[in-house]
Structure formats: structure tokens, C-alpha cells
Amino acid sequence: MAVGLALGLASPALSATQLDTFDFWTAWSDEVSGERICYVASQPQTTEPGSLNHGSTNRVIVTIRPSNRNEVAVTSGFPLHETNANGAMTVDGQRYPLVTDGQAGWLASAEDEPGFVGSMRAGSTLVVQLTSRAGNETRHTYSLRGVTAALDRAAQDCPA
């Protein structure tokens, strides 16, 4: 389900309701299988190397649901390397490894999710590093300006 959900959130579903946008981050709410979920998402401000087509579905997404308040996912606009995606997300120098599947990735350890989201709230820059199926190493940089307000707004619509 996580793969389908993350890929479905790459561009918000038609039924999703945009709650508000705060600088670079937007809060959304939706109903999935009768469960109310909220999420915040952003697109990268820069993509490297500039000579590659990175696609248009690159996102970092934090999903808030009753069973998991901080599910962190990344979607890419290109297929990831099947055996060596070298996935990682870094917030202000703190590196978190990713597991990947297809065009999506998640923090390798679910236990890291609350701390990662806390780092996002306190940080200024998030960097996603991935290796494409073609072997290209990529780097997507996101501003964290607005993420705290977006997370707070999503939590209001999806209380614990």
C-alpha cells in the first residue's frame, strides 16, 4: 500500500483537498479506504546534475494518518536503480538512508521517522540523493521554509 500511496501522492489525487500552502510546502487532506489522511508535500528547488531530465514528479511527502503520524516518502521522476539506488535524505548534514522501489523511496528505518520530521521542522535544507536506473547520481534540494506551518495545518485536519 505504501508504494501505491506514495506514487498516488506524487500529484495529488483528484479527491484530495488542498488545505493551504506555506512557502514551499503544501498541506492536503484526503480519504483513503475510509480513513482520513493528511500530508504535506514539496517539490525540489534545485535538481542536479542540470544536464539530466529529472521529470516532474519529484516530491518529498510526509503522510499523517492515525496509524503513523510521520510516514516520510520521496517520489522521483525517473526509475531508480534496482540494486544500488544509493538513496539518502539529509537534513542540515544529518543523513538518513532510504529504501527504494520503482520511483519511490522511504526512510530505511521507520523508527527514524519522528526524529527526521523533527529535523525537518528545525532545519533549513533537505537534500535527496538517488541513483537512477541508468546509473546517474542525482541530488534534489528542498527548502524547509514553511514545512512546520504545513505540518501543523495538516495535523489540525487529521488530529491524533
Side-chain angles (χ1 to χ4, degrees):
M1 172 153 159
V3 173
L5 181 61
L7 292 177
L9 295 180
S11 58
L14 295 176
S15 64
T17 301
Q18 182 175 337
L19 301 173
D20 209 341
T21 297
F22 305 90
D23 293 309
F24 295 103
W25 292 82
T26 300
W28 301 84
S29 68
D30 202 354
E31 294 280 332
V32 176
S33 301
E35 179 182 57
R36 183 160 192 77
I37 65 164
C38 293
Y39 58 96
V40 301
S42 183
Q43 294 179 299
Q45 280 63 66
T46 62
T47 56
E48 299 172 63
S51 60
L52 295 178
N53 177 359
H54 293 263
S56 62
T57 58
N58 300 292
R59 305 276 190 284
V60 169
I61 304 159
V62 179
T63 304
I64 299 167
R65 67 180 86 229
S67 59
N68 183 348
R69 302 296 293 171
N70 296 302
E71 182 180 304
V72 180
V74 59
T75 60
S76 68
F78 49 87
L80 300 173
H81 198 283
E82 294 88 356
T83 58
N84 192 18
N86 295 320
M89 287 197 279
T90 304
V91 176
D92 292 342
Q94 178 70 34
R95 186 176 189 277
Y96 296 82
L98 296 173
V99 294
T100 60
D101 184 22
Q103 291 183 233
W106 300 264
L107 291 181
S109 173
E111 289 78 30
D112 286 341
E113 289 176 335
F116 182 83
V117 172
S119 294
M120 288 175 69
R121 286 177 174 273
S124 61
T125 304
L126 183 151
V127 176
V128 176
Q129 294 172 281
L130 297 166
T131 302
S132 72
R133 183 181 296 153
N136 297 307
E137 294 184 9
T138 65
R139 179 182 170 100
H140 297 170
T141 303
Y142 296 76
S143 171
L144 292 173
R145 200 170 70 218
V147 72
T148 296
L151 287 165
D152 289 348
R153 178 62 182 92
Q156 284 177 347
D157 216 59
C158 290

